[in-house]
Amino acid sequence: MIPGLWSDPDSLILLCIDAVSRIIELCAVLVIFGSIIVGSVRYFLIKKPGVLSGIDQMVGYRQYIGQWLLLGLELLVAADIIRTVALDQTLERVAGLGLLVLVRTFLSWALVVEMEGRWPWQSVRE
């Protein structure tokens, strides 16, 4: 046990918040990495005769990876928000968070447009 950790509850809380944000980041990386591995195996190594043509297979793979990448990006944004709001409330860090959220939001929109052929705020085409 770290000496003096229990004597300062604020330090323990900050340590826990930092640990939670790092765990969320790790989950995001595992989601993204895992989706690439699982998607690659699913769409390229497990051959189902006559089910998917080459183009359909690639489209399915891109959509699969894109959906999981969106989830990974959302987790990364959540971890950054937790860390910035709870741990490091400097103007520089908040501005950095704003820029990061802006870039990740643009990436998310771009992925939705790429996968679904519409902007996120548009209704689903029938």
Side-chain angles (χ1 to χ4, degrees):
M1 182 167 19
I2 302 170
L5 184 61
W6 295 106
S7 63
D8 184 13
D10 290 339
S11 295
L12 181 61
I13 290 170
L14 293 177
L15 185 66
C16 289
I17 290 171
D18 184 55
V20 165
S21 69
R22 291 185 189 277
I23 289 169
I24 293 171
E25 284 179 338
L26 178 63
C27 288
V29 170
L30 291 174
V31 162
I32 293 169
F33 180 71
S35 70
I36 292 170
I37 299 299
V38 171
S40 297
V41 168
R42 180 177 175 184
Y43 286 95
F44 297 117
L45 296 179
I46 300 174
K47 300 287 184 188
K48 296 178 183 172
V51 174
L52 293 176
S53 69
I55 300 283
D56 291 337
Q57 188 176 13
M58 185 58 74
V59 168
Y61 179 67
R62 287 176 61 206
Q63 287 182 340
Y64 181 86
I65 298 296
Q67 290 170 344
W68 286 101
L69 185 58
L70 280 171
L71 178 61
L73 286 172
E74 294 296 329
L75 289 171
L76 287 170
V77 168
D80 286 335
I81 290 171
I82 290 170
R83 183 173 294 116
T84 300
V85 169
L87 299 178
D88 194 10
Q89 298 176 352
T90 63
L91 184 58
E92 183 179 306
R93 181 71 179 162
V94 171
L97 173 66
L99 184 61
L100 224 107
V101 169
L102 187 66
V103 167
R104 289 183 180 157
T105 300
F106 175 76
L107 284 172
S108 296
W109 286 355
L111 284 169
V112 168
V113 169
E114 182 72 26
M115 291 185 317
E116 298 178 9
R118 65 177 180 84
W119 289 104
W121 54 83
Q122 289 178 323
S123 62
V124 177
R125 294 180 191 158
E126 293 184 15

